[in-house]
Every structure is written in C-alpha cells, then in structure tokens.
Coordinates of all heavy atoms in Angstrom, one line a residue:
M1 N 0.8 -1.2 0.0 CA 0.0 0.0 0.0 C 0.9 1.3 0.0 O 0.7 2.2 -0.8 CB -0.9 0.0 1.3 CG -2.0 1.0 1.2 SD -3.1 0.7 -0.2 CE -3.8 2.3 -0.4
M2 N 1.9 1.2 0.8 CA 2.8 2.3 0.9 C 3.6 2.5 -0.4 O 3.8 3.6 -0.9 CB 3.8 2.1 2.1 CG 4.5 3.4 2.5 SD 3.4 4.7 3.1 CE 4.5 6.1 2.8
R3 N 3.9 1.4 -1.1 CA 4.7 1.5 -2.3 C 3.8 2.1 -3.4 O 4.2 2.9 -4.2 CB 5.1 0.1 -2.7 CG 6.5 0.1 -3.3 CD 6.9 -1.3 -3.8 NE 7.1 -1.3 -5.2 CZ 6.8 -2.2 -6.1 NH1 6.3 -3.3 -5.7 NH2 7.1 -2.1 -7.4
L4 N 2.6 1.7 -3.4 CA 1.6 2.2 -4.4 C 1.5 3.7 -4.3 O 1.5 4.5 -5.2 CB 0.3 1.5 -4.3 CG 0.2 0.2 -5.1 CD1 -1.2 -0.4 -4.8 CD2 0.3 0.4 -6.6
Y5 N 1.4 4.1 -3.0 CA 1.2 5.5 -2.7 C 2.5 6.3 -3.2 O 2.4 7.4 -3.8 CB 1.0 5.8 -1.2 CG 1.1 7.2 -0.9 CD1 0.0 8.0 -1.1 CD2 2.2 7.8 -0.3 CE1 0.0 9.4 -0.8 CE2 2.2 9.1 0.1 CZ 1.1 9.9 -0.2 OH 1.1 11.2 0.1
N6 N 3.7 5.7 -3.0 CA 4.9 6.4 -3.4 C 4.9 6.5 -5.0 O 5.4 7.5 -5.5 CB 6.1 5.6 -2.9 CG 6.4 5.9 -1.5 OD1 6.0 7.0 -1.0 ND2 7.1 5.0 -0.8
E7 N 4.5 5.4 -5.6 CA 4.5 5.5 -7.1 C 3.6 6.6 -7.6 O 3.9 7.3 -8.5 CB 4.1 4.1 -7.7 CG 5.3 3.2 -7.7 CD 4.9 1.8 -8.2 OE1 3.8 1.7 -8.8 OE2 5.7 0.8 -8.0
Y8 N 2.5 6.6 -7.0 CA 1.5 7.6 -7.4 C 2.1 9.0 -7.2 O 2.0 9.9 -8.0 CB 0.2 7.5 -6.6 CG -0.8 8.6 -6.8 CD1 -1.6 8.7 -7.9 CD2 -0.8 9.6 -5.8 CE1 -2.4 9.8 -8.0 CE2 -1.7 10.7 -5.9 CZ -2.5 10.8 -7.1 OH -3.3 11.9 -7.2
R9 N 2.7 9.2 -6.0 CA 3.3 10.5 -5.6 C 4.4 10.9 -6.7 O 4.4 12.0 -7.1 CB 3.9 10.4 -4.2 CG 3.6 11.6 -3.4 CD 4.2 11.4 -2.0 NE 5.4 12.3 -1.9 CZ 5.2 13.6 -1.6 NH1 4.0 14.1 -1.5 NH2 6.3 14.4 -1.6
T10 N 5.2 9.9 -7.0 CA 6.3 10.2 -8.0 C 5.7 10.6 -9.3 O 6.2 11.6 -9.9 CB 7.2 8.9 -8.2 OG1 7.7 8.5 -6.9 CG2 8.4 9.2 -9.1
R11 N 4.7 9.9 -9.8 CA 4.1 10.2 -11.0 C 3.5 11.6 -11.0 O 3.6 12.4 -11.9 CB 3.0 9.2 -11.4 CG 2.8 9.1 -12.8 CD 1.9 7.9 -13.1 NE 2.5 6.6 -12.6 CZ 1.8 5.5 -12.4 NH1 0.5 5.5 -12.7 NH2 2.3 4.4 -11.9
R12 N 2.9 11.9 -9.9 CA 2.2 13.2 -9.7 C 3.3 14.3 -9.8 O 3.1 15.3 -10.4 CB 1.5 13.2 -8.4 CG 0.7 14.4 -8.1 CD -0.4 14.6 -9.0 NE -0.4 16.0 -9.5 CZ -0.9 16.4 -10.7 NH1 -1.5 15.5 -11.5 NH2 -0.9 17.7 -11.0
L13 N 4.5 14.1 -9.1 CA 5.5 15.1 -9.1 C 6.1 15.3 -10.5 O 6.3 16.4 -11.0 CB 6.6 14.7 -8.2 CG 6.3 14.9 -6.7 CD1 7.4 14.2 -5.8 CD2 6.2 16.3 -6.3
V14 N 6.2 14.2 -11.3 CA 6.8 14.3 -12.6 C 5.8 15.1 -13.5 O 6.2 16.0 -14.2 CB 7.0 12.9 -13.2 CG1 7.2 12.9 -14.7 CG2 8.1 12.2 -12.5
L15 N 4.5 14.8 -13.3 CA 3.5 15.5 -14.1 C 3.6 17.0 -13.8 O 3.5 17.9 -14.7 CB 2.1 15.0 -13.8 CG 1.8 13.7 -14.6 CD1 0.5 13.1 -14.1 CD2 1.7 13.9 -16.1
E16 N 3.8 17.3 -12.5 CA 3.8 18.7 -12.1 C 5.0 19.4 -12.8 O 4.9 20.6 -13.3 CB 3.9 18.8 -10.6 CG 2.6 18.8 -9.9 CD 2.7 18.7 -8.4 OE1 3.8 19.1 -7.9 OE2 1.7 18.3 -7.8
V17 N 6.2 18.7 -12.8 CA 7.3 19.3 -13.5 C 7.1 19.6 -15.0 O 7.4 20.6 -15.5 CB 8.6 18.4 -13.3 CG1 9.7 18.9 -14.1 CG2 9.0 18.4 -11.8
W18 N 6.5 18.6 -15.6 CA 6.2 18.7 -17.0 C 5.2 19.9 -17.3 O 5.5 20.7 -18.2 CB 5.5 17.4 -17.5 CG 6.4 16.4 -17.9 CD1 7.4 15.9 -17.1 CD2 6.5 15.6 -19.1 NE1 8.1 14.9 -17.8 CE2 7.5 14.7 -19.0 CE3 5.7 15.6 -20.3 CZ2 7.8 13.8 -20.1 CZ3 6.0 14.7 -21.3 CH2 7.0 13.8 -21.2
E19 N 4.2 20.0 -16.4 CA 3.3 21.1 -16.6 C 3.9 22.4 -16.4 O 3.7 23.4 -17.2 CB 2.1 20.9 -15.6 CG 1.1 19.9 -16.1 CD 0.2 19.5 -14.9 OE1 0.2 20.1 -13.9 OE2 -0.5 18.4 -15.1
R20 N 4.9 22.5 -15.5 CA 5.6 23.7 -15.2 C 6.5 24.1 -16.4 O 6.5 25.2 -16.9 CB 6.4 23.6 -14.0 CG 6.6 24.9 -13.2 CD 7.4 24.7 -11.9 NE 6.9 23.6 -11.1 CZ 7.6 22.8 -10.3 NH1 8.9 23.1 -10.2 NH2 7.1 21.9 -9.6
L21 N 7.2 23.1 -17.0 CA 8.0 23.3 -18.1 C 7.2 23.8 -19.3 O 7.6 24.7 -20.0 CB 8.8 22.0 -18.5 CG 9.9 21.7 -17.5 CD1 10.5 20.3 -17.8 CD2 11.1 22.7 -17.6
E22 N 6.1 23.1 -19.6 CA 5.3 23.5 -20.7 C 4.7 24.9 -20.5 O 4.5 25.6 -21.4 CB 4.1 22.5 -20.9 CG 4.6 21.2 -21.5 CD 3.5 20.2 -21.6 OE1 2.5 20.2 -20.9 OE2 3.6 19.3 -22.5
G23 N 4.4 25.2 -19.2 CA 3.9 26.5 -18.9 C 4.8 27.7 -19.2 O 4.4 28.7 -19.8
N24 N 6.1 27.6 -18.8 CA 7.0 28.7 -19.0 C 7.9 28.6 -20.2 O 8.7 29.5 -20.4 CB 7.8 28.9 -17.7 CG 8.8 27.7 -17.5 OD1 9.0 26.9 -18.4 ND2 9.3 27.6 -16.3
G25 N 7.6 27.6 -21.1 CA 8.3 27.6 -22.3 C 9.7 26.9 -22.3 O 10.3 26.7 -23.3
E26 N 10.1 26.5 -21.1 CA 11.4 25.8 -21.1 C 11.4 24.5 -21.8 O 12.4 24.1 -22.4 CB 11.8 25.6 -19.6 CG 12.5 26.8 -19.0 CD 12.8 26.5 -17.5 OE1 13.2 25.4 -17.2 OE2 12.7 27.4 -16.8
W27 N 10.2 23.8 -21.8 CA 10.1 22.5 -22.4 C 10.3 22.7 -23.9 O 11.0 21.9 -24.6 CB 8.7 22.0 -22.1 CG 8.5 20.6 -22.7 CD1 7.6 20.3 -23.7 CD2 9.1 19.4 -22.3 NE1 7.7 18.9 -24.0 CE2 8.6 18.4 -23.1 CE3 10.1 19.1 -21.3 CZ2 9.0 17.1 -23.0 CZ3 10.5 17.8 -21.2 CH2 10.0 16.8 -22.0
Q28 N 9.7 23.7 -24.5 CA 9.8 23.9 -25.9 C 11.3 24.2 -26.3 O 11.8 23.8 -27.3 CB 9.0 25.1 -26.4 CG 7.5 24.7 -26.6 CD 6.7 24.7 -25.3 OE1 7.3 24.9 -24.2 NE2 5.4 24.5 -25.3
V29 N 12.0 25.0 -25.5 CA 13.4 25.3 -25.8 C 14.2 24.1 -25.7 O 15.1 23.8 -26.6 CB 13.9 26.3 -24.7 CG1 15.4 26.5 -24.9 CG2 13.2 27.7 -24.9
A30 N 14.0 23.2 -24.7 CA 14.8 22.0 -24.6 C 14.6 21.0 -25.7 O 15.5 20.3 -26.1 CB 14.5 21.3 -23.2
N31 N 13.4 21.1 -26.3 CA 13.1 20.1 -27.4 C 13.0 20.8 -28.8 O 12.4 20.4 -29.7 CB 11.8 19.4 -27.1 CG 12.0 18.4 -26.0 OD1 12.4 17.3 -26.3 ND2 11.6 18.8 -24.8
S32 N 13.7 22.0 -28.9 CA 13.7 22.7 -30.1 C 14.2 21.9 -31.3 O 15.0 21.1 -31.1 CB 14.6 24.0 -29.9 OG 14.9 24.5 -31.1
K33 N 13.6 22.2 -32.4 CA 14.1 21.5 -33.6 C 15.5 21.9 -34.0 O 16.2 21.1 -34.6 CB 13.2 21.9 -34.8 CG 11.8 21.2 -34.7 CD 11.0 21.4 -36.0 CE 9.5 21.1 -35.8 NZ 8.8 22.3 -35.3
N34 N 16.0 23.1 -33.6 CA 17.3 23.5 -33.8 C 18.3 22.8 -32.8 O 18.1 23.0 -31.6 CB 17.5 25.0 -33.7 CG 16.5 25.7 -34.6 OD1 16.3 25.4 -35.8 ND2 15.8 26.7 -34.1
P35 N 19.2 22.1 -33.3 CA 20.2 21.5 -32.3 C 21.1 22.6 -31.7 O 21.2 23.6 -32.3 CB 21.0 20.5 -33.2 CG 20.9 21.1 -34.6 CD 19.6 21.8 -34.7
P36 N 21.6 22.3 -30.6 CA 22.5 23.3 -29.9 C 23.6 23.7 -30.9 O 24.1 22.9 -31.6 CB 23.0 22.5 -28.7 CG 22.1 21.4 -28.5 CD 21.5 21.0 -29.8
A37 N 24.1 24.9 -30.8 CA 25.1 25.4 -31.7 C 26.4 24.7 -31.5 O 27.2 24.6 -32.4 CB 25.3 26.9 -31.4
V38 N 26.6 24.1 -30.4 CA 27.9 23.4 -30.1 C 28.2 22.3 -31.1 O 29.3 22.1 -31.5 CB 27.9 22.8 -28.6 CG1 29.2 22.2 -28.3 CG2 27.5 23.8 -27.6
I39 N 27.1 21.5 -31.5 CA 27.4 20.4 -32.4 C 27.1 20.8 -33.8 O 27.0 19.9 -34.7 CB 26.6 19.2 -32.0 CG1 25.1 19.5 -32.0 CG2 27.0 18.7 -30.6 CD1 24.2 18.2 -32.0
A40 N 26.9 22.1 -34.1 CA 26.5 22.5 -35.5 C 27.7 22.2 -36.5 O 27.5 21.8 -37.6 CB 26.2 24.0 -35.5
H41 N 28.9 22.5 -36.0 CA 30.1 22.3 -36.9 C 31.1 21.4 -36.1 O 32.0 22.0 -35.6 CB 30.7 23.6 -37.3 CG 29.7 24.5 -38.0 ND1 29.3 24.2 -39.3 CD2 29.1 25.6 -37.6 CE1 28.4 25.2 -39.6 NE2 28.3 26.0 -38.6
P42 N 30.9 20.1 -36.1 CA 31.8 19.3 -35.3 C 33.2 19.3 -35.7 O 34.1 19.1 -34.8 CB 31.2 17.9 -35.4 CG 30.4 17.9 -36.7 CD 29.9 19.3 -36.8
A43 N 33.5 19.5 -36.9 CA 34.9 19.4 -37.4 C 35.6 20.8 -37.6 O 36.7 20.9 -38.1 CB 35.0 18.6 -38.7
A44 N 34.8 21.9 -37.2 CA 35.3 23.2 -37.5 C 36.6 23.6 -36.8 O 37.5 24.2 -37.4 CB 34.3 24.2 -37.1
D45 N 36.8 23.1 -35.6 CA 38.0 23.4 -34.8 C 39.1 22.4 -34.9 O 40.1 22.5 -34.2 CB 37.6 23.6 -33.3 CG 36.7 24.8 -33.1 OD1 36.9 25.8 -33.9 OD2 35.9 24.8 -32.2
Q46 N 38.9 21.5 -35.8 CA 40.0 20.4 -36.0 C 41.2 21.1 -36.6 O 41.1 21.7 -37.7 CB 39.4 19.3 -36.8 CG 38.3 18.5 -36.2 CD 38.8 17.1 -35.7 OE1 39.5 16.5 -36.4 NE2 38.3 16.7 -34.6
P47 N 42.4 20.9 -36.0 CA 43.6 21.4 -36.7 C 43.9 20.6 -37.9 O 43.5 19.4 -38.0 CB 44.7 21.2 -35.6 CG 44.2 20.1 -34.7 CD 42.7 20.2 -34.8
P48 N 44.6 21.1 -38.9 CA 45.0 20.3 -40.0 C 46.0 19.3 -39.6 O 46.6 19.4 -38.6 CB 45.7 21.4 -41.0 CG 46.1 22.5 -40.0 CD 45.1 22.5 -38.9
P49 N 46.0 18.2 -40.4 CA 46.9 17.1 -40.0 C 48.4 17.6 -39.9 O 48.8 18.4 -40.8 CB 46.7 16.0 -41.1 CG 46.0 16.7 -42.2 CD 45.3 17.9 -41.6
A50 N 49.1 17.1 -39.0 CA 50.5 17.5 -38.8 C 51.4 17.1 -40.0 O 51.2 16.1 -40.5 CB 51.1 16.9 -37.5
D51 N 52.3 18.0 -40.4 CA 53.2 17.8 -41.5 C 54.5 17.2 -40.9 O 55.3 17.9 -40.3 CB 53.4 19.1 -42.2 CG 54.3 18.9 -43.4 OD1 54.8 17.8 -43.7 OD2 54.5 19.9 -44.1
F52 N 54.7 15.9 -41.2 CA 55.9 15.2 -40.7 C 57.0 15.2 -41.7 O 58.0 14.5 -41.5 CB 55.5 13.8 -40.2 CG 54.8 13.8 -38.9 CD1 53.4 13.6 -38.9 CD2 55.4 14.0 -37.7 CE1 52.7 13.6 -37.8 CE2 54.7 14.0 -36.5 CZ 53.3 13.8 -36.6
G53 N 56.8 16.0 -42.8 CA 57.9 16.0 -43.8 C 59.1 16.8 -43.2 O 59.0 17.6 -42.3
L54 N 60.3 16.6 -43.8 CA 61.5 17.2 -43.3 C 61.8 18.4 -44.3 O 61.8 18.2 -45.5 CB 62.6 16.2 -43.3 CG 63.8 16.6 -42.3 CD1 63.3 16.8 -40.9 CD2 64.9 15.5 -42.4
Y55 N 62.1 19.5 -43.7 CA 62.4 20.7 -44.5 C 63.7 21.3 -44.1 O 64.1 21.2 -42.9 CB 61.3 21.8 -44.3 CG 60.0 21.3 -44.9 CD1 59.1 20.5 -44.1 CD2 59.6 21.7 -46.1 CE1 57.9 20.1 -44.6 CE2 58.3 21.4 -46.6 CZ 57.5 20.5 -45.9 OH 56.3 20.2 -46.4
K56 N 64.4 21.9 -45.0 CA 65.7 22.6 -44.7 C 65.4 24.1 -44.7 O 64.9 24.6 -45.7 CB 66.7 22.2 -45.7 CG 68.1 22.6 -45.3 CD 69.2 22.1 -46.3 CE 70.6 22.5 -45.9 NZ 71.6 21.9 -46.8
C57 N 65.8 24.7 -43.6 CA 65.6 26.2 -43.5 C 66.5 26.9 -44.5 O 67.7 26.6 -44.6 CB 65.9 26.6 -42.1 SG 65.8 28.4 -41.9
G58 N 65.8 27.8 -45.3 CA 66.6 28.5 -46.3 C 67.5 29.5 -45.7 O 68.5 30.0 -46.4
A59 N 67.4 29.9 -44.5 CA 68.2 31.0 -43.9 C 69.4 30.4 -43.1 O 70.5 30.9 -43.2 CB 67.4 31.8 -43.0
C60 N 69.2 29.3 -42.3 CA 70.3 28.8 -41.5 C 70.6 27.4 -41.8 O 71.6 26.8 -41.3 CB 69.9 29.0 -40.0 SG 68.6 27.9 -39.5
G61 N 69.9 26.7 -42.7 CA 70.2 25.4 -43.1 C 69.8 24.3 -42.1 O 70.1 23.1 -42.3
K62 N 69.1 24.7 -41.1 CA 68.7 23.7 -40.1 C 67.5 22.8 -40.7 O 66.7 23.3 -41.4 CB 68.2 24.4 -38.9 CG 68.1 23.4 -37.7 CD 67.5 24.1 -36.5 CE 67.1 23.1 -35.4 NZ 66.5 23.8 -34.3
M63 N 67.5 21.6 -40.4 CA 66.5 20.7 -40.8 C 65.4 20.7 -39.7 O 65.6 20.5 -38.5 CB 67.0 19.2 -40.8 CG 68.2 19.1 -41.7 SD 67.7 19.1 -43.5 CE 68.3 17.5 -43.9
V64 N 64.2 21.0 -40.2 CA 63.0 21.2 -39.3 C 61.8 20.4 -39.9 O 61.6 20.3 -41.1 CB 62.6 22.7 -39.2 CG1 61.4 22.8 -38.4 CG2 63.8 23.4 -38.7
M65 N 61.1 19.7 -39.0 CA 59.9 19.0 -39.4 C 58.8 20.0 -39.8 O 58.8 21.2 -39.3 CB 59.3 18.2 -38.2 CG 60.3 17.2 -37.7 SD 60.2 15.7 -38.7 CE 59.1 14.6 -37.7
G66 N 58.0 19.6 -40.8 CA 57.0 20.5 -41.3 C 56.2 21.2 -40.3 O 55.9 22.5 -40.4
F67 N 55.7 20.5 -39.3 CA 54.8 21.1 -38.3 C 55.5 22.0 -37.4 O 54.9 22.8 -36.7 CB 54.1 20.0 -37.5 CG 55.0 19.2 -36.7 CD1 55.4 19.6 -35.4 CD2 55.5 18.0 -37.2 CE1 56.3 18.8 -34.7 CE2 56.3 17.2 -36.5 CZ 56.8 17.6 -35.2
D68 N 56.9 22.0 -37.4 CA 57.7 22.8 -36.5 C 58.3 24.0 -37.2 O 59.0 24.8 -36.5 CB 58.8 21.9 -35.9 CG 59.2 22.3 -34.5 OD1 58.3 22.9 -33.8 OD2 60.3 22.0 -34.1
R69 N 57.9 24.2 -38.5 CA 58.6 25.4 -39.2 C 58.2 26.7 -38.6 O 59.0 27.6 -38.4 CB 58.1 25.3 -40.6 CG 58.9 24.3 -41.4 CD 58.5 24.3 -42.9 NE 57.1 23.8 -43.0 CZ 56.4 23.9 -44.2 NH1 57.0 24.3 -45.3 NH2 55.2 23.5 -44.2
E70 N 56.9 26.8 -38.2 CA 56.4 28.1 -37.7 C 57.2 28.5 -36.4 O 57.6 29.6 -36.3 CB 54.9 28.0 -37.3 CG 54.0 28.0 -38.5 CD 54.0 29.4 -39.2 OE1 54.0 30.4 -38.4 OE2 54.1 29.5 -40.4
S71 N 57.4 27.5 -35.5 CA 58.1 27.9 -34.3 C 59.6 28.1 -34.6 O 60.2 29.0 -33.9 CB 57.9 26.8 -33.3 OG 58.4 25.5 -33.7
H72 N 60.2 27.5 -35.6 CA 61.6 27.7 -35.9 C 61.7 29.1 -36.5 O 62.6 29.9 -36.1 CB 62.1 26.7 -36.9 CG 63.5 27.0 -37.5 ND1 64.6 26.8 -36.7 CD2 63.9 27.6 -38.6 CE1 65.7 27.2 -37.4 NE2 65.2 27.7 -38.6
I73 N 60.8 29.5 -37.4 CA 60.8 30.9 -37.9 C 60.8 31.9 -36.8 O 61.5 32.9 -36.7 CB 59.7 31.1 -38.9 CG1 59.9 30.3 -40.2 CG2 59.5 32.5 -39.2 CD1 58.7 30.2 -41.1
H74 N 59.9 31.6 -35.8 CA 59.7 32.5 -34.7 C 60.9 32.6 -33.8 O 61.4 33.7 -33.5 CB 58.5 32.0 -33.9 CG 57.4 33.0 -33.7 ND1 56.7 33.4 -34.8 CD2 57.0 33.7 -32.6 CE1 55.8 34.4 -34.3 NE2 56.0 34.5 -33.0
E75 N 61.5 31.4 -33.4 CA 62.6 31.4 -32.5 C 63.9 31.8 -33.1 O 64.7 32.5 -32.5 CB 62.7 30.0 -31.8 CG 61.5 29.7 -30.8 CD 61.3 28.2 -30.6 OE1 62.2 27.4 -30.8 OE2 60.2 27.9 -30.2
A76 N 64.2 31.3 -34.3 CA 65.5 31.5 -34.9 C 65.5 32.7 -35.8 O 66.6 33.3 -36.0 CB 65.9 30.2 -35.7
H77 N 64.4 33.1 -36.4 CA 64.5 34.2 -37.4 C 63.5 35.3 -37.1 O 63.1 36.1 -38.0 CB 64.3 33.6 -38.8 CG 65.2 32.5 -39.0 ND1 66.6 32.7 -39.2 CD2 65.0 31.2 -39.2 CE1 67.2 31.5 -39.4 NE2 66.2 30.6 -39.4
K78 N 63.0 35.4 -35.9 CA 62.1 36.5 -35.4 C 60.9 36.6 -36.3 O 60.5 37.8 -36.6 CB 62.9 37.8 -35.3 CG 64.0 37.7 -34.3 CD 64.8 39.0 -34.2 CE 65.7 39.0 -33.0 NZ 67.1 38.7 -33.4
G79 N 60.4 35.6 -36.8 CA 59.2 35.6 -37.6 C 59.3 36.0 -39.0 O 58.4 36.3 -39.8
K80 N 60.6 36.1 -39.5 CA 60.9 36.5 -40.9 C 60.5 35.4 -41.8 O 60.6 34.2 -41.5 CB 62.4 36.8 -41.0 CG 62.6 38.0 -41.9 CD 64.1 38.5 -41.7 CE 65.1 37.4 -42.1 NZ 66.5 37.8 -41.9
T81 N 59.9 35.8 -43.0 CA 59.6 34.8 -44.0 C 60.8 34.3 -44.7 O 61.6 35.1 -45.1 CB 58.6 35.3 -45.0 OG1 57.6 36.1 -44.3 CG2 57.9 34.2 -45.7
M82 N 60.9 33.0 -44.9 CA 62.1 32.4 -45.6 C 61.6 31.3 -46.5 O 60.5 30.7 -46.3 CB 63.2 32.0 -44.7 CG 62.9 30.7 -44.0 SD 62.9 30.8 -42.2 CE 63.4 32.4 -41.9
E83 N 62.5 30.8 -47.3 CA 62.2 29.7 -48.2 C 62.6 28.4 -47.5 O 63.5 28.3 -46.7 CB 63.0 29.8 -49.5 CG 62.6 31.0 -50.3 CD 62.8 30.8 -51.8 OE1 63.2 29.7 -52.2 OE2 62.5 31.8 -52.5
W84 N 61.7 27.4 -47.7 CA 62.0 26.1 -47.2 C 62.2 25.1 -48.3 O 61.5 25.1 -49.3 CB 60.8 25.6 -46.3 CG 60.6 26.4 -45.0 CD1 59.9 27.4 -44.8 CD2 61.3 26.1 -43.8 NE1 60.0 27.9 -43.6 CE2 60.8 27.1 -42.9 CE3 62.2 25.2 -43.4 CZ2 61.3 27.1 -41.6 CZ3 62.6 25.2 -42.1 CH2 62.2 26.2 -41.2
R85 N 63.2 24.2 -48.1 CA 63.4 23.2 -49.2 C 63.0 21.9 -48.6 O 63.6 21.5 -47.5 CB 64.9 23.2 -49.5 CG 65.1 23.0 -51.0 CD 66.6 23.2 -51.4 NE 67.4 22.2 -50.6 CZ 68.1 21.2 -51.1 NH1 68.0 21.0 -52.4 NH2 68.8 20.4 -50.3
R86 N 62.1 21.3 -49.2 CA 61.6 20.0 -48.7 C 62.7 18.9 -49.0 O 63.1 18.7 -50.1 CB 60.3 19.6 -49.4 CG 59.8 18.2 -49.0 CD 58.3 18.2 -48.8 NE 58.0 17.0 -48.0 CZ 56.8 16.7 -47.6 NH1 55.8 17.5 -47.7 NH2 56.6 15.6 -46.9
V87 N 63.1 18.2 -47.9 CA 64.1 17.2 -48.0 C 63.5 15.9 -48.3 O 63.9 15.1 -49.2 CB 65.0 17.2 -46.8 CG1 66.1 16.1 -46.9 CG2 65.6 18.5 -46.5
R88 N 62.5 15.5 -47.5 CA 61.7 14.3 -47.8 C 60.4 14.3 -47.1 O 60.2 15.2 -46.3 CB 62.5 13.1 -47.4 CG 62.8 13.0 -45.9 CD 63.5 11.7 -45.6 NE 64.2 11.7 -44.3 CZ 63.6 11.3 -43.2 NH1 62.4 10.9 -43.2 NH2 64.2 11.4 -42.0
Ligands
ZN1 ZN1 66.4 28.7 -39.8

C-alpha cells in the first residue's frame, strides 16, 4: 500500500514538473528543432593534420619538421619569412 502511494506520488511530481516546463516555455526550448550550436560544426575546430615532412631552412640550413617550421621561424629568425626546401 505504501509502495503504491509512493509510485502515485512520484508520477504526480513528474507531471507537475512537465506542466511547469510547458507553462513557462522551457520545455519547448529544450526540445527545439534546432540542435545546440555546439554540435553544429563538429569538425570546424579540428587542426590540419601535422606535417611530418622534413624541410631545410633556407636561412640557416637547419632541418626542421614541417609542423615545427612556424616555431623555428619564430625562435630562430624572429618571424621573418624564408624559403623552405623539402628534403623528404
Ligand atoms: Zn632557420
């Protein structure tokens, strides 16, 4: 008897929450046809694949991996643009 009463009470509380959500519009927002903006462009922030090719710096002759060229330019040549020769 007590269990049945509890089940009834739980159902009643759930219904009350639903009615409240439908009343103030939160329910409609939560079930909107528009998906959340977060998953709109799942691959937009993906970085390009790393370049593991080997390059020779045109200014100092150092061998640098493709993905590391930017930081070499920054650290060794103060951001100056230079030519890279692809070694392999
Ligand atoms: Zn260099």
Side-chain angles (χ1 to χ4, degrees):
M1 194 61 201
M2 196 60 203
R3 217 183 121 216
L4 275 175
Y5 172 75
N6 281 336
E7 277 176 20
Y8 169 80
R9 223 181 108 79
T10 304
R11 205 169 306 160
R12 184 64 226 154
L13 284 169
V14 169
L15 281 172
E16 275 174 20
V17 171
W18 276 51
E19 278 162 15
R20 211 178 308 153
L21 286 172
E22 284 179 335
N24 65 16
E26 276 176 37
W27 182 249
Q28 281 82 354
V29 173
N31 287 277
S32 163
K33 289 188 194 87
N34 305 315
V38 185
I39 58 160
H41 304 287
D45 289 332
Q46 293 251 322
D51 184 357
F52 287 100
L54 201 57
Y55 295 82
K56 191 172 181 178
C57 176
C60 70
K62 194 187 171 185
M63 304 282 242
V64 176
M65 298 279 260
F67 64 85
D68 211 26
R69 282 181 295 172
E70 282 294 316
S71 56
H72 173 77
I73 289 168
H74 236 68
E75 285 159 22
H77 307 294
K78 298 182 170 95
K80 220 165 62 184
T81 316
M82 77 235 358
E83 296 207 0
W84 291 93
R85 220 172 56 111
R86 175 136 196 176
V87 180
R88 66 178 161 89

